[in-house]
């Protein structure tokens, strides 16, 4: 009986440890890997948020998704332990924002884009407008 209780307690402790470490589901706080459809939907939502109250064409939307995707890939390639990692991420974000603004013609739309990016919800301790 004691062996069964000890084994059960060990399983509970191990399960709690695994859950605290992200559950072995690809990291990201317990989220599993996204399907291509889920990734596309997330990108479209991000573009919709960034370009809220700005009229853009389907071609501009596709270009914006490409810009955001490239910026995210660049950020993933940055060594988190590098002394200048934060600077590198800031450069990627600045370039992303400049490239997105270049899709727009009017200064009013560019200003609205900058405002929308600034007001985007932030998570995991990221600064304003970060990926």
């Amino acid at each position: 009986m004691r062996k069964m209780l000890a084994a059960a307690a060990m399983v509970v402790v191990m399960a709690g440890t695994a859950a605290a470490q992200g559950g072995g589901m690809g990291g990201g706080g317990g989220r599993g890997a996204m399907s291509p459809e889920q990734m596309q939907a997330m990108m479209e939502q991000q573009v919709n948020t960034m370009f809220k109250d700005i009229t853009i064409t389907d071609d501009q939307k596709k270009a914006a998704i490409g810009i955001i995707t490239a910026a995210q890939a660049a950020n993933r390639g940055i060594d988190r332990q590098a002394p200048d990692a934060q600077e590198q991420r800031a450069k990627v974000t600045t370039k992303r924002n400049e490239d997105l603004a270049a899709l727009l013609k009017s200064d009013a739309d560019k200003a609205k884009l900058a405002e929308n990016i600034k007001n985007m919800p932030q998570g995991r301790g990221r600064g304003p407008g970060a990926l």
Side-chain angles (χ1 to χ4, degrees):
M1 185 69 167
R2 281 187 179 177
K3 286 184 181 181
M4 286 179 55
L5 283 174
M10 190 181 314
V11 169
V12 169
V13 169
M14 289 175 23
T17 302
Q21 293 177 352
M25 297 181 65
R31 286 187 296 191
M34 287 191 205
S35 71
E37 294 81 15
Q38 290 171 320
M39 182 63 80
Q40 180 69 22
M42 183 187 75
M43 290 296 184
E44 287 183 18
Q45 178 59 42
Q46 191 168 6
V47 168
N48 291 341
T49 301
M50 290 177 158
F51 289 86
K52 182 181 177 199
D53 299 326
I54 302 171
T55 302
I56 59 172
T57 66
D58 287 342
D59 287 341
Q60 287 171 308
K61 187 172 189 173
K62 287 178 189 173
I65 289 171
I67 291 166
I68 294 167
T69 301
Q72 288 179 336
N75 271 331
R76 281 192 299 274
I78 296 171
D79 178 6
R80 292 181 182 197
Q81 302 305 318
D84 64 340
Q86 188 172 358
E87 280 180 42
Q88 290 180 41
R89 282 192 301 276
K91 286 179 184 178
V92 169
T93 298
T94 298
K95 180 173 178 3
R96 178 206 64 188
N97 293 348
E98 289 171 352
D99 291 348
L100 291 171
L103 297 173
L104 304 171
K105 294 186 189 222
S106 90
D107 288 340
D109 284 347
K110 291 177 184 184
K112 184 64 178 170
L113 173 66
E115 178 186 335
N116 288 346
I117 290 171
K118 180 182 173 196
N119 293 328
M120 285 180 69
Q122 304 306 312
R124 296 190 285 178
R126 297 180 294 190
L131 293 175

